[in-house]
């Protein structure tokens, strides 16, 4: 009987039936055929095993300072009747969330199936909750012990670009809208730069037109300013996300110290008639100086000088405007229909930290040559 190999063709996908005539030659042929079939089956199994890959990239953030991500899951040899999705384990409490085409968060994410074996998840807003471990998952769509395959995991961090909130002078005065600071010589310059960001940003102060000036830290501090400290300063905040962020420029102008200077703007000697009871006698001066001087009015008496108080009957004291340190400001002492005891010599005095200046006025009645 000759050697034969019988193959049942109708059941080829499930079993392979073989019959051999056991001769020495038949045994050798059977062994060769068995090795061939075993090798082919192993090759088929290895070739159809799904390979799941995950990749991601940062995407542009036109209206969002947080880092945004686009994550793609792709499968080679996608199994028939299987599902593919992106899975996340949040670092905030270990919460698990699966991103599929049925995800109901259109504002936060966009899920796009490029094909049956590829899905891309784009984050429109990557909030702190989404920081965590991400994995692509493929699972057979069957209730009978389904097989599951997954990719390696990647960890995505929640990060934001620096955002400069404010420049604060002496921790009390915000400069959100005021961008000019006037300082007298010798005063301290102290400005804080306030910014947020994840990770926390580092700060550096710089001066426009002076590349050698760099002050590290959020505080710009000069203990005693001079004229050379005048200029435009700005703060930079950097945490490695999106590059350094620059604040608005703050102009610092250091003003020269000036001792008080007083000048007459009305006549120094005032003569009036005794029947002019409704007549206001006006003594007026202009005052300049830095720091802005303190102005006071005095009446000379036989007992010495007596300071005139602001609130008195028929007397008015008008102090000059103090808003602009560079502008001479008018100061006035007004007396309505002076009585005899109000005649005499008046003194206006201006003083600041570097000096004192004063001028005198004389009020007399008509026909009087001299009043004490």
């Amino acid at each position: 009987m000759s050697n034969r190999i019988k193959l049942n063709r109708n059941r080829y996908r499930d079993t392979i039936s073989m019959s051999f005539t056991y001769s020495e030659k038949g045994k050798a042929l059977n062994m060769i055929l068995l090795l061939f079939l075993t090798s082919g089956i192993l090759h088929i199994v290895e070739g159809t095993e799904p390979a799941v890959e995950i990749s991601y990239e940062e995407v542009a953030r036109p209206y969002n300072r947080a880092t945004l991500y686009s994550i793609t899951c792709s499968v080679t040899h996608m199994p028939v009747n299987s599902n593919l999705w992106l899975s996340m384990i949040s670092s905030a409490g270990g919460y698990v969330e699966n991103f599929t085409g049925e995800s109901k968060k259109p504002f936060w994410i966009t899920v796009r199936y490029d094909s049956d074996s590829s899905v891309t998840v784009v984050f429109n807003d990557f909030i702190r909750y989404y920081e965590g471990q991400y994995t692509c998952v493929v699972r057979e769509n069957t209730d009978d012990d389904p097989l599951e395959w997954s990719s390696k995991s990647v960890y995505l961090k929640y990060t934001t670009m620096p955002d400069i909130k404010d420049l604060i002078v002496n921790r009390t005065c915000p400069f959100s809208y005021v961008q000019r600071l006037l300082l007298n010589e010798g005063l301290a310059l102290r400005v804080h730069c306030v910014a947020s960001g994840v990770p926390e940003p580092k700060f550096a102060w710089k001066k426009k037109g002076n590349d050698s000036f760099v002050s590290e830290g959020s505080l710009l501090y000069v203990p005693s300013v001079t004229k050379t400290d005048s200029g435009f300063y700005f703060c930079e905040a950097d945490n490695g996300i999106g590059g350094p962020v620059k604040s608005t420029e703050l102009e610092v102008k250091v003003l020269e110290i000036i001792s008080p200077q007083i000048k007459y703007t009305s006549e120094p000697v005032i003569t009036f008639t005794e029947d002019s009871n409704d007549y206001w006698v006006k003594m007026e001066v202009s005052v300049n100086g830095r720091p802005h001087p303190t102005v006071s009015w005095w009446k000379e008496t036989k007992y010495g000088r007596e300071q005139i108080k602001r609130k008195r009957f028929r007397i008015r004291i008008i102090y000059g405007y103090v808003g602009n340190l560079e502008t001479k400001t008018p100061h006035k002492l007004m007396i309505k229909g002076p009585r005899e005891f109000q005649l005499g010599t008046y003194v206006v005095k201006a003083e600041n930290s570097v000096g004192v200046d004063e001028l005198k006025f004389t009020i007399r009645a008509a026909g009087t040559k001299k009043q004490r």
Side-chain angles (χ1 to χ4, degrees), residues 31-321:
M31 185 62 69
I32 293 171
L33 182 58
L34 182 60
L35 290 173
F36 173 79
L37 292 174
T38 302
S39 176
I41 292 171
L42 291 175
H43 176 74
I44 292 172
V45 171
E46 290 180 354
T48 57
E49 182 77 13
V52 188
E53 300 290 338
I54 186 172
S55 61
Y56 71 93
E57 63 179 355
E58 295 183 13
V59 298
R61 42 177 179 269
Y63 306 108
N64 197 316
R65 289 185 173 273
T67 300
L68 304 182
Y69 296 98
S70 173
I71 309 173
T72 299
C73 297
S74 58
V75 184
T76 304
H77 302 302
M78 178 77 175
V80 178
N81 194 25
S82 299
N83 295 325
L84 169 65
W85 67 83
L86 176 67
S87 179
M88 180 269 295
I89 303 177
S90 173
S91 61
Y95 183 78
V96 178
E97 182 170 346
N98 295 324
F99 301 95
T100 68
E102 299 178 356
S103 298
K104 297 180 180 180
K105 295 182 178 179
F107 178 79
W108 304 103
I109 62 171
T110 300
V111 180
R112 183 181 70 247
Y113 278 91
D114 305 311
S115 67
D116 292 339
S117 60
S118 177
V119 60
T120 299
V121 178
V122 179
F123 285 89
N124 306 316
D125 193 1
F126 195 84
I127 58 178
R128 190 182 294 272
Y129 163 82
Y130 284 137
E131 178 175 330
Q133 206 81 22
Y134 286 81
T135 310
C136 296
V137 179
V138 175
R139 180 185 294 170
E140 289 183 326
N141 190 18
T142 175
D143 296 331
D144 185 17
D145 193 21
L147 295 177
E148 185 176 291
W149 300 266
S150 62
S151 69
K152 66 178 182 180
S153 296
V154 295
Y155 190 91
L156 300 184
K157 291 185 176 182
Y158 169 77
T159 59
T160 65
M161 294 174 58
D163 183 17
I164 296 180
K165 304 293 185 182
D166 219 339
L167 301 181
I168 298 180
V169 178
N170 295 330
R171 296 188 178 274
T172 58
C173 180
F175 270 72
S176 299
Y177 304 102
V178 180
Q179 296 164 357
R180 191 181 190 212
L181 181 60
L182 301 178
L183 289 176
N184 293 322
E185 279 186 304
L187 294 182
L189 170 63
R190 187 181 286 106
V191 185
H192 289 265
C193 184
V194 180
S196 61
V198 180
E200 186 176 346
K202 295 181 179 180
F203 298 89
W205 281 93
K206 298 182 179 181
K207 187 176 182 181
K208 186 176 180 180
N210 185 354
D211 295 337
S212 63
F213 180 91
V214 178
S215 177
E216 301 291 344
S218 62
L219 173 64
L220 173 62
Y221 177 63
V222 181
S224 180
V225 295
T226 64
K227 294 284 286 185
T228 58
D229 294 314
S230 295
F232 291 85
Y233 295 83
F234 59 91
C235 168
E236 281 189 350
D238 187 13
N239 64 355
I241 309 299
V245 175
K246 177 182 174 182
S247 73
T248 56
E249 292 179 352
L250 173 65
E251 182 184 5
V252 175
K253 188 168 185 179
V254 179
L255 305 175
E256 181 184 357
I257 295 295
I258 302 175
S259 61
Q261 299 172 355
I262 307 178
K263 292 184 178 181
Y264 291 109
T265 54
S266 66
E267 293 297 327
V269 179
I270 301 142
T271 303
F272 74 102
T273 59
E274 293 184 359
D275 58 349
S276 301
N277 292 330
D278 293 330
Y279 175 73
W280 283 93
V281 172
K282 180 177 69 174
M283 294 168 277
E284 182 180 283
V285 295
S286 66
V287 179
N288 192 20
R290 298 192 193 97
H292 192 84
T294 300
V295 177
S296 57
W297 292 87
W298 305 76
K299 171 75 166 60
E300 290 189 347
T301 71
K302 62 180 179 180
Y303 303 107
R305 288 182 177 180
E306 177 186 343
Q307 186 172 0
I308 301 174
K309 304 300 181 182
R310 185 167 187 173
K311 293 183 179 179
R312 281 194 176 183
F313 180 66
R314 301 170 69 90
I315 292 179
R316 292 180 185 176
I317 297 178
I318 300 175
Y319 292 106
Y321 181 64

